[in-house]
Amino acid sequence: MAMDAIDFASLLCSRLCHDMLSPVGALNNGIELLADEHDPEMRGKVLELLSDSARASANKLKFFRLAFGAAGGFGDQVDAREAKTAIEGLFGGGGRIQLGWLVEDATLSKPAIKLLLNLALIAGDALVRGGRLDVGAETSNGLTEIAIRAEGDRLVLDPELRLALLGQVDEDKLAPRAAAAWLAHKLAASGGGAIQASDPAEPFLLFGATIRAA
């Protein structure tokens, strides 16, 4: 039986809340520490912690708003620079992940932007110890082709996420951690395309996807 919209929205909300828990929790802890700390040097360190946590929270919310929500307006096309900024905000902090941006189109369709972001999210999360994340997209003949490549010292992709991306999972048993992967699969399928994933034995992770350009 196909999952209804309410159940799927609940999965996405669970995923978002899970990702927001850490930076928001750090904000709460920092405020409590600040209230009890009187040493100027320690207060400075706590304020730095609060600043980092606030920035991380804002970046995650901006990314999820574009990847899961209705950001970008209600038009058919979205500025591709918004997607680049969202990915840089999510993964660019501290230089742990180096982003290669290979998207020449000034705009992409909203479904293509969402598909690109969700694939980038999954690939970036797989870079456990950091590495390089290359994001590419090209539109021609009415189709947008998307390629996401991740390479690093340690790549870990949950098998459930791989199955969800390929549409090979039972919707009734879908876990919140696989919500983004299932959304990517649904976006590609509804856009007349499909997603391919590199073999788990490869030393890199590569996602390829096609979707109608409009």
Side-chain angles (χ1 to χ4, degrees):
M1 182 176 65
M3 181 184 302
D4 64 29
I6 294 176
D7 287 340
F8 186 55
S10 297
L11 285 177
L12 284 177
C13 286
S14 294
R15 166 65 201 256
L16 190 153
C17 290
H18 175 272
D19 279 39
M20 292 302 301
L21 186 60
S22 178
V24 172
L27 275 172
N28 183 65
N29 292 337
I31 291 172
E32 290 180 353
L33 287 172
L34 194 62
D36 297 330
E37 186 58 64
H38 301 289
D39 179 74
E41 183 177 353
M42 288 303 298
R43 286 180 67 87
K45 291 181 179 179
V46 172
L47 286 172
E48 184 178 347
L49 169 66
L50 286 171
S51 177
D52 291 343
S53 299
R55 187 181 305 108
S57 298
N59 287 337
K60 284 177 180 288
L61 285 173
K62 289 175 183 177
F63 183 94
F64 287 129
R65 182 169 174 262
L66 193 59
F68 295 166
F74 294 96
D76 293 331
Q77 298 291 310
V78 177
D79 191 331
R81 291 174 298 181
E82 290 191 40
K84 181 183 180 183
T85 299
I87 296 172
E88 286 175 336
L90 190 67
F91 293 121
R96 192 178 71 86
I97 293 179
Q98 181 183 1
L99 176 65
W101 186 252
L102 307 170
V103 180
E104 295 186 358
D105 295 26
T107 63
L108 293 172
S109 70
K110 185 173 291 186
I113 287 285
K114 290 184 179 297
L115 178 56
L116 181 149
L117 287 173
N118 280 280
L119 290 176
L121 171 65
I122 295 164
D125 283 346
L127 290 168
V128 178
R129 295 177 181 167
R132 182 175 177 86
L133 180 66
D134 290 312
V135 178
E138 183 178 9
T139 300
S140 63
N141 300 321
L143 286 177
T144 297
E145 297 183 358
I146 297 169
I148 310 290
R149 189 180 190 276
E151 187 170 9
D153 291 338
R154 190 180 179 211
L155 277 169
V156 179
L157 177 64
D158 189 321
E160 184 178 2
L161 270 62
R162 181 184 296 276
L163 292 175
L165 280 172
L166 301 178
Q168 299 172 357
V169 66
D170 185 347
E171 290 186 43
D172 292 335
K173 298 179 180 178
L174 197 66
R177 65 177 178 274
W182 188 247
L183 176 58
H185 163 70
K186 284 293 193 181
L187 285 166
S190 64
I195 295 174
Q196 300 82 39
S198 56
D199 190 279
E202 295 289 351
F204 56 83
L205 180 61
L206 179 63
F207 297 142
T210 55
I211 189 170
R212 282 194 297 269

